[in-house]
Amino acid sequence: GTASYIAAKILKLADLLPAIAIAMIIYLATSVMANLVGNNASALLMLPISIGTAQQLAVNPFAFVLITTFAASAAFASPVGYQTNLMVYSSGGFKFKDFIIVGAPLQLLLAVIVPLLVRLIWGF
């Protein structure tokens, strides 16, 4: 039911916002989820949502798939979001807060840049 709930909320926004803004929201939702449950689970949950959203918006679904997969790989704000983050977490002497301080701004920046580049290259 979670996927249906998220899809319904995103599609409500589709009436108010342009497709590029919806793509940025999908990117951000996927990357936040990747920080919590890992990249594979976030991609698995968000891919049907992004494809369905693209179809409802009548835009290129492949572009939304790319946005979702890039976002699932962008788990920078949590040491548990990706395996290599966890590997350097203890050996590097990092704190959880360090990942948030550096990773969250990077994720926000990429939430704008990646959808814009995907739109430029693949169009939607």
Side-chain angles (χ1 to χ4, degrees):
T2 304
S4 299
Y5 177 78
I6 293 170
K9 294 299 178 188
I10 291 174
L11 286 174
K12 279 188 180 181
L13 291 173
D15 294 335
L16 306 171
L17 299 171
I20 190 69
I22 300 300
M24 290 175 185
I25 289 169
I26 287 176
Y27 183 98
L28 194 59
T30 306
S31 64
V32 167
M33 202 173 306
N35 283 302
L36 301 173
V37 297
N39 60 336
N40 294 332
S42 66
L44 188 62
L45 178 65
M46 291 301 291
L47 275 172
I49 294 169
S50 65
I51 291 169
T53 302
Q55 290 171 339
Q56 290 289 330
L57 294 172
V59 296
N60 183 4
F62 180 68
F64 274 60
V65 167
L66 288 174
I67 289 167
T68 304
T69 54
F70 280 124
S73 298
F76 305 127
S78 166
V80 295
Y82 199 71
Q83 299 87 348
T84 51
N85 294 5
L86 198 54
M87 288 173 19
V88 299
Y89 178 57
S90 62
S91 63
F94 294 107
K95 297 179 178 105
F96 198 94
K97 182 175 81 171
D98 297 331
F99 282 88
I100 294 171
I101 290 170
V102 174
L106 181 58
Q107 283 189 266
L108 290 174
L109 179 67
L110 289 173
V112 174
I113 292 173
V114 169
L116 288 174
L117 287 176
V118 168
R119 183 177 185 181
L120 179 70
I121 296 168
W122 284 279
F124 61 83

